Amino acid sequence: MNQEQMIPHWDLSSVYTGLEADDFRSAVDELRERLADLRQYLDEQQIARGGRVPADPAALADVIAGYLERMNSLSALYQTLLYYVYGFVATDSYNKTAQRIHSELQALGAERETMEVRFRGWMGTVGQQPETLAAVLEREGTPRQHAFYLQETVQQSRYLMSEAEEALAAELALSGALAWQRLQGTICSQLKAPFERDGRVEELPITVIQNLYNDPDGAVRERAYQVELQAWERVREPLAACLNGVKGAVLTIDRRRGRQDALHDALDQARIDRATLETMLEAMQDTFPDFRRYWQAKARRLGKERLPWWDLFAPLGRAEKRYTFDQARQFIVETLGGFSERLARFCQSAFERRWIDAEPRNGKRGGAFCMGLPLVEESRILCNFDGSLDQVKTIAHELGHAYHNECRRGKTYLQRQVPMTLAEMASTFNETIILDALLANASDPQEELAVLETFLVDASQIIVDITSRYLFESEVFARRAQAELSADDLCETMLRCQQATYGDGLDQRYLHPYMWAWKPHYYRPTLSFYNFPYAFGMLFSLGLYGLYQQQGSDFLPAYDALLRDSGEATPADLAARFGLSLRERTFWENGLHLIRQRIERYLAL
C-alpha cells in the first residue's frame, strides 16, 4: 500500500515518549506530589464544609486563589496523563500495561475528586456570605478570572453528601461503576464475528461489521445486520450487568445527593433547564412525520415497501466514490478553508502532526471521539475510516472538537469545562460546512441525492434516534430504581422506543434491539443522558450557520469568541450574544426548518 493510501495511527510521542519511559514516570510522580500538596493546603486552610472562611475579602481571595492555582495545575497534568494512557487503551484493549496504568491513574483521579468535593462543600459555606464573595469577585486576580466556575460551584454545592460519603463514593466507583464502564468497553472492542464476503469467511471486529451498513450492496448490509445482532446476542448478559451496575450506582448517588432524578444532574451539567429541554424535544418531535416521509421515499428508491434497519445508512445517488485518507484530508482542509483560513490551517496541522487514529482494527474501540491534552495544548482524534463520505464527515466533525480546544488555548483547566450542549457545537458546524459545500457543487441530481442522503441520515440519527435513546434511558432509570433489568427487558424497551420514534417510517420487523449494548454513552457513570446534547449542538450550530450565511466573514470573530468562552458561560448567555433565546420555540424551529427544506428537496429529486 503506498503512502497516499495508508490509514494513519496517531502519534502520541509529543506528549510522553512511552508508558514506561522516564518522562512519563516522572509525570506520574509529579501528580502524586501535587495531590499531596493540595491535600496539605486544604488542611492548613481548613477548606471543608463548615470550615473557616476569612471575613476579609482580600484574605478570602488569597485562599481561593491558592486552591484554584493548585487545582488547575494538578488537573491539567492528570487529564494529560489519563488521556495519554487512554490513547493506548482505546486503540488496543489487549494492552495490559496500558489497562493497568489507566486503572492506577483513575485511583489518583478519585483522590483528586475527593479534594474537589471538599472545596465545593467549603464554597457552599462561603456562599452563605454573599456580600463577601461578591467583594472577592470584584477584585483583580485569579478568583475574578474564575468567577463563573466559583458561582456555579456555590450553586452545585447543595447537591453533596457528607465529605466522608463523597470520599467513599469516589473510591467505590473504581471497583463499581467505573469498572462496569471499563468492562463494557473491553467487551465491545474485542468482539468479533465471522463474515462471509466474495466466497471468503473472515473474522471481523464488530466496528468493521457496523461500517458495512454504508456498503452499496444491499445483501452485504443485510448480512452485516444479521451478523451484528448475533454477535451482541453472545455478550448480552455481561453487557446487561454492566448497564444495571452503572445505572444502579447513579441512582443511589443521586438520591443521596438530593437530586430530583438522574436528569436533574444531566441538566445542570448541560447548563440548561427543563423548560429549555422540553421546548427543544417538542420541536424535534414535530418533525418526525417529515422524517418518516423521507424513510418511506428511501424505501421506494430501494424497491421496498418499508425500510429495514440495515438500509437506514444505505448510500443512494452517485455514491460509489470512495476516498483515500489523503483525499479526505485534502477535501476537508480545502472545504473548511472556504469558511475560515484559521480553521483550515489548524486542520492541516492536525493531519501533518498525526493527531488522528483512523484505521479500524481488532482491539480498537468503535465510533469516534476527540480528546484534549491540556499540558501540550493538543488534541487527538479517533475514528474508524472506511473511505465513505460518512467517515469523511466524521473526521471533519471531530476536527471541530479539536478546533474548539484550540480556541480555548491559554485558558486554565477550570475555565475550559464546557457543557456537552456546547461541546457538540463546533463539530456539527464543521459538518454543516462540508455538506453545504457538497450540495452547492453537486453537478447533477444523482450527486445531489447522494449528498442529501448523507445529511438526512445524520440528521435523522440526531433528531429521531437521539429521541429514542432519551426515551430509553428515561425508562431504564425509572425501572432500574425498582429492580434490575434483564437483557430481554432492555431489548424490549429499546424496540418500543424505536417504534415510538421511527413509527411507520421503518419496517417494524427489523429494528435494532441491541443499540443499548454498544453505545458507550449509556455506560458513563458521571454523565447520564449523553444523548440530547447532540441534538442541542446540531440545532444550535444550524442556527449559528444561518447567521453566518447572513453576515459572511464578519461572523468569524464572534464565532471564535463563542468557542473561546464556552467554558465560562451558559448556552443561554452565549446565544443571547447573537440575539437568540433558547426558551423560544422559534429558535429550535429555525434549525429544524433547514432540515425540513432538505427533506422536501430529497423528495422532489
Side-chain angles (χ1 to χ4, degrees), residues 434-455:
I434 293 288
L435 290 172
D436 211 38
L438 286 167
L439 285 172
N441 296 321
S443 58
D444 57 51
Q446 283 301 301
E447 185 174 351
E448 184 181 2
L449 176 64
V451 177
L452 284 171
E453 181 63 45
T454 299
F455 172 81

Side-chain angles (χ1 to χ4, degrees), residues 49 156-162 165-166 250-262 264-265 268 274:
R49 179 182 288 169
Q156 294 302 309
S157 66
R158 70 190 72 175
Y159 303 114
L160 287 175
M161 299 181 288
S162 70
E165 288 173 315
E166 289 287 355
V250 170
L251 284 165
T252 299
I253 294 298
D254 281 343
R255 184 174 65 251
R256 296 298 296 267
R257 285 176 175 161
R259 291 285 184 184
Q260 182 178 340
D261 50 29
H264 183 186
D265 185 37
D268 281 358
R274 289 178 192 262

Side-chain angles (χ1 to χ4, degrees), residues 261-295:
D261 50 29
L263 181 60
H264 183 186
D265 185 37
L267 289 169
D268 281 358
Q269 289 191 55
R271 295 176 184 161
I272 64 173
D273 56 27
R274 289 178 192 262
T276 297
L277 175 62
E278 289 168 1
T279 300
M280 181 185 77
L281 290 174
E282 288 171 2
M284 288 164 55
Q285 289 165 8
D286 284 348
T287 67
F288 289 0
D290 300 285
F291 280 107
R292 290 167 186 169
R293 291 167 59 223
Y294 150 63
W295 290 314

Side-chain angles (χ1 to χ4, degrees), residues 36-48 51-54 63 66-67 70 115 118 122:
D37 175 64
L38 180 56
R39 189 183 313 108
Q40 180 180 352
Y41 183 79
L42 294 176
D43 291 342
E44 289 174 350
Q45 301 299 328
Q46 300 179 34
I47 295 177
R52 178 174 60 87
V53 177
V63 174
Y67 169 83
R70 286 171 172 80
M115 289 188 277
R118 281 184 63 176
W122 182 71

Side-chain angles (χ1 to χ4, degrees), residues 49-332:
R49 179 182 288 169
R52 178 174 60 87
V53 177
D56 176 40
L60 178 57
D62 287 342
V63 174
I64 293 175
Y67 169 83
L68 293 173
E69 289 159 4
R70 286 171 172 80
M71 181 54 84
N72 275 319
S73 175
L74 163 66
S75 298
L77 176 59
Y78 172 69
Q79 181 173 311
T80 301
L81 285 166
L82 187 72
Y83 284 0
Y84 172 75
V85 177
Y86 189 64
F88 293 89
V89 173
T91 54
D92 180 12
S93 62
Y94 298 100
N95 188 327
K96 302 304 180 186
T97 299
Q99 295 276 13
R100 173 181 56 79
I101 297 174
H102 193 255
S103 177
E104 291 171 357
L105 286 171
Q106 284 187 319
L108 296 177
E111 188 175 347
R112 171 198 163 281
E113 185 180 339
T114 60
M115 289 188 277
E116 187 177 24
V117 166
R118 281 184 63 176
F119 180 74
R120 292 210 306 267
W122 182 71
M123 282 302 297
T125 304
V126 172
Q128 295 172 12
Q129 303 176 26
E131 294 180 359
T132 304
L133 178 58
V136 167
L137 299 182
E138 289 173 358
R139 301 172 59 87
E140 292 293 335
T142 302
R144 182 175 177 178
Q145 294 165 2
H146 293 77
F148 181 84
Y149 165 77
L150 292 171
Q151 291 165 337
E152 186 176 54
T153 299
V154 170
Q155 294 169 359
Q156 294 302 309
S157 66
R158 70 190 72 175
Y159 303 114
L160 287 175
M161 299 181 288
S162 70
E163 185 177 316
E165 288 173 315
E166 289 287 355
L168 179 61
E171 291 184 36
L172 287 177
L174 297 173
S175 55
L178 289 173
W180 288 120
Q181 182 186 27
R182 286 196 303 272
L183 178 59
Q184 188 267 348
T186 299
I187 291 172
C188 294
S189 64
Q190 296 183 5
L191 184 62
K192 293 186 288 186
F195 191 84
E196 185 275 326
R197 191 170 190 179
D198 299 327
R200 186 164 61 96
V201 177
E202 186 177 1
E203 196 83 1
L204 297 178
I206 197 68
T207 52
V208 175
I209 292 171
Q210 290 172 326
N211 276 346
L212 294 176
Y213 286 136
N214 296 302
D215 197 278
D217 187 337
V220 171
R221 296 194 300 270
E222 181 176 0
R223 197 157 58 252
Y225 170 82
Q226 294 167 346
V227 169
E228 187 198 0
L229 294 193
Q230 291 167 4
W232 294 124
E233 188 80 19
R234 299 200 309 268
V235 294
R236 68 200 299 257
E237 296 304 332
L239 291 176
C242 291
L243 191 57
N244 276 291
V246 170
K247 297 311 187 192
V250 170
L251 284 165
T252 299
I253 294 298
D254 281 343
R255 184 174 65 251
R256 296 298 296 267
R257 285 176 175 161
R259 291 285 184 184
Q260 182 178 340
D261 50 29
L263 181 60
H264 183 186
D265 185 37
L267 289 169
D268 281 358
Q269 289 191 55
R271 295 176 184 161
I272 64 173
D273 56 27
R274 289 178 192 262
T276 297
L277 175 62
E278 289 168 1
T279 300
M280 181 185 77
L281 290 174
E282 288 171 2
M284 288 164 55
Q285 289 165 8
D286 284 348
T287 67
F288 289 0
D290 300 285
F291 280 107
R292 290 167 186 169
R293 291 167 59 223
Y294 150 63
W295 290 314
Q296 290 162 1
K298 183 169 184 175
R300 290 193 296 271
R301 291 181 189 275
L302 292 170
K304 300 182 179 182
E305 184 177 343
R306 285 283 184 270
L307 200 68
W309 188 275
W310 62 79
D311 283 336
L312 265 176
F313 308 98
L316 290 180
R318 195 167 65 249
E320 67 272 11
K321 176 176 174 57
R322 308 299 283 184
Y323 294 78
T324 66
F325 192 80
D326 191 61
Q327 288 171 337
R329 175 198 59 77
Q330 182 177 353
F331 173 71
I332 289 169

Side-chain angles (χ1 to χ4, degrees), residues 401-421:
H401 286 301
Y403 183 68
H404 197 164
N405 291 337
E406 177 70 10
C407 287
R408 289 175 289 154
R409 176 180 286 271
K411 295 281 188 180
T412 68
Y413 175 87
L414 294 174
Q415 291 170 331
R416 287 171 174 257
Q417 302 312 296
V418 176
M420 296 312 303
T421 38

